[in-house]
Amino acid sequence: MEARSRIAAYAVIRREHNVLLVRASQLSDFPGTWWLPGGGIEHGEHPEVAVVREVAEETGLVARVISPPRVLSDTVEVAARGIDLHTVRVIYDVEIIGGELIAEEAGTSDGVAWFDTDDLVRPDVQSFVRAAVLPLENGG
């Protein structure tokens, strides 16, 4: 299994006790699962710029970062590609300042929906989402 690393930026977008998630498309490594809007940081791109860009691409919304970043680090085997993937995730709280909620077309996500934070334990929600959102729900 080949070892690879990736750095990505993700947005926590809240509306009362709900959080906005996107569904991974068939073009992704984990189709049908839900995760935070976000994705890979391009070469030379600041993570804060990347998260705003990714939110726009995946949700149609215009976002503004409202928190300092938090960092999550995890590994997962992507068996279909023979990769042991280490992802460093830069997590920002963001607020929506414009746009219209629409799902990305022909990208790595194909759906967008509000989830009650109690539903983040569903098996089709990526575990990093719980790590990014639930500690904040519990005051941590």
Side-chain angles (χ1 to χ4, degrees), residues 30-117:
F30 304 98
T33 60
W34 292 88
W35 48 24
L36 297 171
I41 297 170
E42 296 175 3
H43 180 78
E45 185 178 40
H46 191 283
E48 194 169 306
V49 172
V51 76
V52 169
R53 173 184 53 75
E54 287 283 347
V55 167
E57 289 174 5
E58 294 181 347
T59 70
L61 299 172
V62 179
R64 176 174 55 213
V65 171
I66 59 170
S67 74
R70 300 181 303 282
V71 176
L72 297 176
S73 175
D74 57 73
T75 59
V76 64
E77 284 187 14
V78 184
R81 292 180 28 206
I83 297 171
D84 180 17
L85 182 63
H86 171 224
T87 303
V88 176
R89 303 175 197 274
V90 183
I91 311 291
Y92 292 97
D93 293 320
V94 305
E95 67 179 350
I96 301 307
I97 59 174
E100 183 178 328
L101 189 62
I102 54 170
E104 180 178 27
E105 293 184 23
T108 56
S109 65
D110 63 7
V112 60
W114 291 99
F115 277 64
D116 185 288
T117 55

